Amino acid sequence: MTTAHDLTFVSLDVPSEYPVERGDLSLALAGAELIDLLAAGTVALDGLVLRPVSPGGSGDRLLDAAASQAGQEPDESVTDWLWRRGDGLAAQYLAAAGADDGGRRRPLWNVRRAADRPAPADPSARDRATDRWADGDPVLVGLAAAVGVRHETADQAADPEDDRIATVLAAVHDAVVELATTRQRRSIEEAAFDNVWRGM
């Protein structure tokens, strides 16, 4: 399994103060894919720009799809990749995890009883994600923090030693903040519009 699959299980299984927003999760999943592609040498970073290196396959359908897209756009930045690849990505990973929620905006699997959770096709997948989370893996903890899932050691977690990973994590955090700002602005605009109609 991949970091993105592990992040999907964490977002579903680990209780968080607020439900994980699907858009936030999509951005973080795109970042998780990119981190795995960098680690595999499939893509490289030239500053903040993605460069294709080797198209080798991973054996994972979703990660291989990401590999086929990485670095193909001219001078695509990490941030641009997150927005392009992340479009609708959460739905694909939720379906792969056996947690297709019928298109609901927020996956709320983490509030269900364990017995009600659908089992993944590979039963070891959740165990791997759980073990990685329990070990405080800095990549998984960093990505989960971006979508609002906190690990008990999150504030003390060491920064990743790999500058490329740190670059991706920072871009994910910035993109999630930007999305939250956009979401808030739209909410304010919709509320103002409703007030105008009420006053007429």
Side-chain angles (χ1 to χ4, degrees):
M1 300 300 283
T2 67
T3 299
H5 288 294
D6 291 346
L7 177 60
T8 302
F9 283 114
V10 166
S11 73
L12 296 171
D13 290 348
V14 178
S16 58
E17 187 174 353
Y18 301 101
V20 174
E21 291 283 353
R22 182 171 286 238
D24 297 351
L25 181 58
S26 289
L27 290 168
L29 288 168
E33 289 182 334
L34 184 53
I35 287 171
D36 282 353
L37 293 176
L38 287 166
T42 304
V43 67
L45 282 184
D46 180 6
L48 295 177
V49 176
L50 304 182
R51 303 293 187 203
V53 177
S54 169
S58 67
D60 181 83
R61 177 182 60 82
L62 288 169
L63 188 59
D64 287 345
S68 70
Q69 298 177 23
Q72 299 305 312
E73 295 291 323
D75 295 328
E76 184 173 43
S77 69
V78 172
T79 299
D80 290 342
W81 158 265
L82 296 177
W83 289 106
R84 181 171 68 87
R85 174 62 183 165
D87 186 18
L89 195 58
Q92 297 180 53
Y93 276 95
L94 288 167
D100 186 354
D101 59 5
R104 287 202 312 266
R105 186 162 173 242
R106 296 174 175 173
L108 296 176
W109 203 25
N110 58 0
V111 300
R112 296 183 187 174
R113 292 183 300 114
D116 294 335
R117 296 173 183 162
D122 178 4
S124 66
R126 180 181 282 120
D127 293 339
R128 179 184 182 276
T130 300
D131 290 345
R132 193 172 173 186
W133 180 254
D135 290 342
D137 179 279
V139 172
L140 190 56
V141 168
L143 290 166
V147 299
V149 180
R150 303 293 293 175
H151 189 276
E152 60 185 5
T153 63
D155 294 331
Q156 294 82 29
D159 293 331
E161 296 180 1
D162 191 327
D163 289 341
R164 302 171 304 168
I165 293 176
T167 296
V168 175
L169 288 176
V172 169
H173 280 264
D174 290 346
V176 169
V177 169
E178 181 180 346
L179 182 57
T181 300
T182 300
R183 200 181 285 130
Q184 182 179 34
R185 185 178 65 248
R186 287 177 180 170
S187 177
I188 292 172
E189 290 172 350
E190 289 172 0
F193 184 77
D194 289 344
N195 288 335
V196 168
W197 277 104
R198 289 194 195 101
M200 294 181 71

